[in-house]
Amino acid sequence: MWQDWSLRRRINVLLALVLMLGLAINIGRLALEAAPRVLAEDQSVIRLTRAFVETIMDEVNDAPDPDARLNRIVSDLGPLRHVSVTRQGMPVQAPSSSGVGRAAPAWFIALVHPDKTSVSMPVIVAGRADTLVITSHPDDEIAEIWDGIVTQLVVGSLVGLALFGITTLVVGRALAPLGDLSEAMSRIEAGAYDARVKPGGAPELAALCAKLNHLAGALGEAVEEKRRLAERTVSLQDLERKEIARELHDEFGPHLFALRAHASALMRLPDAATLDVGAMRRHGQAILDQVNAVQQFNRRILERLRPVGLAELGLREALGALVRLWRESRPEVAIETTLADTLVRSNETAELTIYRVVQEALTNVFRHAEASSVDVSIEPLQQIVAGHRRSYTRVRVRDDGRGLTPEHKLGFGLTGMRERLLALGGTLTVASTGAGVTIEALVPADAMAPADAA
């Protein structure tokens, strides 16, 4: 049952129990001290009365009529509040109540002072032995104690109720943000990332509200970024398809037309009056040249779609083949490659990402940089991330071209590569000093991702 109670209810119940326990302890203390207090009062008044009687006995014996004088003194002592004095054999009369405090109930009197305290005091009156009986009457004292207990109960209950009410109000206001937090969490769970909670209550709850607001904002930004990435991915796919379609149209179309033209010419040669061997050779050589051109173009398309030999030969050989293709097509640009000897085989996703970074960087260099040299270096790197050591592969492509202007924005290729690396837990930075561009990527060695979508 306790586990099903709310925090506010638990605090209120505990507070009520503590207040009732404190009040009960205080009243119990008063009740336990009542009997010793009454006994001490009895002993005190009896002792004082004995001393008083001893003092006046000389005056009694010096009186003309000692018995009458003693009777008058005993009669005068009757109205005393806590004690009565009688001669032996005379009835004991309780003094009249002073009206101080509430009358105590019988059960409390029986608990505190069940029996009256009487002391016999021998005296000599006119040469004869007599006895005075001193009896204590603590009724007023018991009434005062009872009145104090009742007052303590009433006042303590009122104070406890007031304290309970104030504490309940303070706790209620302090815990009020919990309801708003729960409602905001439900809205965030439903996708309303604009939900916010007004910080309030205790400092801890105010900090929790602020952190939840920050989390909601971060989630909203992440979802929006995810949406933008999805749109950009679709745009990149469409752009890649358009570019491949254009290249197929611009490259394959002319070669296929030339092949068809030369094949048609070869088919018409047997119909001629004389067989022209030289023409057959020219057409055959032209067809071979067109087939070679188509093969080279097909290789470039395949390299863009999927690196040939990466899975079979490894990253080092695949990068070597990529660099050789660029050296053959652009011999005026010097390409230097540095691959660390300690570079080990990673998973396919990491190696494909490294290859794509180098491919995209070299493509940008040869298309836009007007560089005379390019330096490509790949080496392992260890970094501490969130208290854990992680292994990366650092890819750095540096050229001596014209660099980038301050207002330059990254193209679709590098933007897509940066997003790919962020998804894998890596980074990509592009720096330009005005005399060249340096592209540096950190690829996690344990990167895991779906198949290449570039």
Side-chain angles (χ1 to χ4, degrees):
M1 180 179 67
W2 176 262
Q3 289 76 10
D4 298 333
W5 287 1
S6 65
L7 178 59
R8 181 182 301 178
R9 187 175 182 182
R10 294 182 185 184
I11 293 175
N12 291 339
V13 170
L14 286 176
L15 178 61
L17 291 176
V18 169
L19 291 176
M20 287 190 296
L21 180 61
L23 184 60
I25 291 175
N26 195 24
I27 293 177
R29 179 184 62 82
L30 293 177
L32 290 176
E33 293 176 353
R37 178 177 169 183
V38 172
L39 180 59
E41 182 71 14
D42 283 354
Q43 294 175 351
S44 176
V45 296
I46 290 175
R47 184 169 59 252
L48 290 175
T49 304
R50 286 175 65 96
F52 176 74
V53 171
E54 290 175 353
T55 302
I56 67 173
M57 283 310 298
D58 293 336
E59 178 186 350
V60 170
N61 288 322
D62 292 338
D65 188 357
D67 286 332
R69 178 61 175 169
L70 180 59
N71 290 334
R72 189 167 57 253
I73 291 175
V74 169
S75 177
D76 292 340
L77 292 176
L80 292 179
R81 179 181 176 188
H82 294 296
V83 68
S84 64
V85 180
T86 60
R87 301 183 73 167
Q88 190 173 24
M90 296 177 61
V92 177
Q93 295 181 355
S96 59
S97 176
S98 64
V100 178
R102 298 178 179 87
W107 64 267
F108 184 74
I109 296 175
L111 177 67
V112 173
H113 196 271
D115 300 320
K116 293 184 181 296
T117 302
S118 297
V119 176
S120 298
M121 180 179 178
V123 295
I124 302 297
V125 180
R128 297 189 307 274
D130 201 349
T131 302
L132 296 179
V133 179
I134 303 173
T135 305
S136 67
H137 298 280
D139 295 342
D140 285 345
E141 183 68 22
I142 295 175
E144 288 182 5
I145 296 174
W146 176 253
D147 185 70
I149 292 176
V150 173
T151 302
Q152 181 69 32
L153 179 61
V154 174
V155 174
S157 299
L158 294 177
V159 172
L161 288 175
L163 181 60
F164 180 79
I166 294 173
T167 306
T168 301
L169 180 62
V170 172
V171 171
R173 291 193 175 184
L175 298 181
L178 290 179
D180 297 336
L181 281 171
S182 178
E183 182 181 356
M185 289 180 181
S186 299
R187 293 181 58 191
I188 293 173
E189 183 181 7
Y193 300 108
D194 58 343
R196 295 293 183 271
V197 182
K198 182 179 179 180
E204 296 81 359
L205 289 179
L208 184 61
C209 294
K211 291 180 180 179
L212 180 65
N213 293 337
H214 178 73
L215 176 61
L219 287 175
E221 293 178 0
V223 171
E224 179 63 21
E225 182 65 20
K226 181 180 179 181
R227 185 190 63 79
R228 290 196 296 265
L229 289 178
E231 292 180 353
R232 194 172 298 168
T233 299
V234 174
S235 300
L236 289 174
Q237 289 177 346
D238 292 341
L239 182 64
E240 185 72 15
R241 288 168 183 157
K242 290 179 182 178
E243 188 172 351
I244 292 176
R246 179 184 59 78
E247 292 185 357
L248 289 175
H249 178 270
D250 295 345
E251 297 288 341
F252 266 107
H255 291 307
L256 292 176
F257 178 79
L259 286 173
R260 183 173 183 175
H262 289 296
S264 299
L266 283 176
M267 292 180 65
R268 290 193 299 269
L269 285 178
D271 297 335
T274 59
L275 187 62
D276 189 348
V277 178
M280 292 181 61
R281 289 179 176 176
R282 288 194 302 273
H283 288 301
Q285 185 61 44
I287 290 174
L288 288 176
D289 293 339
Q290 295 298 323
V291 169
N292 288 334
V294 169
Q295 286 180 337
Q296 291 180 1
F297 176 72
N298 183 61
R299 184 184 302 173
R300 290 199 305 270
I301 293 294
L302 292 177
E303 283 290 335
R304 286 180 54 189
L305 297 177
R306 189 74 176 179
V308 178
L310 179 60
E312 296 80 6
L313 303 178
L315 177 63
R316 191 182 297 271
E317 286 73 13
L319 289 175
L322 175 65
V323 172
R324 283 195 299 272
L325 286 176
W326 280 114
R327 283 173 177 166
E328 291 174 1
S329 61
R330 300 291 297 272
E332 72 278 8
V333 180
I335 304 177
E336 297 293 334
T337 59
T338 305
L339 275 68
D341 296 334
T342 57
L343 196 65
V344 296
R345 292 292 298 269
S346 303
N347 60 61
E348 182 179 359
T349 300
E351 292 190 345
L352 182 58
T353 302
I354 295 171
Y355 183 90
R356 291 300 190 198
V357 171
V358 176
Q359 184 184 45
E360 183 64 30
L362 291 178
T363 300
N364 287 334
V365 169
F366 290 111
R367 282 183 179 177
H368 312 294
E370 300 178 1
S372 60
S373 66
V374 185
D375 181 19
V376 180
S377 65
I378 302 176
E379 59 184 354
L381 182 67
Q382 298 286 330
Q383 281 192 350
I384 304 297
V385 179
H388 300 283
R389 182 178 295 275
R390 292 196 63 183
S391 299
Y392 293 88
T393 300
R394 181 167 63 185
V395 182
R396 182 179 293 159
V397 180
R398 186 182 300 151
D399 66 75
D400 62 349
R402 60 183 183 180
L404 302 176
T405 59
E407 64 275 5
H408 179 81
K409 294 183 178 180
L410 298 182
F412 283 109
L414 286 179
T415 300
M417 193 57 58
R418 172 177 286 173
E419 293 167 353
R420 178 190 182 103
L421 283 166
L422 289 175
L424 297 178
T427 59
L428 184 139
T429 57
V430 179
S432 176
T433 60
V437 176
T438 299
I439 297 176
E440 183 174 300
L442 292 181
V443 183
D446 55 352
M448 297 296 295
D452 180 32

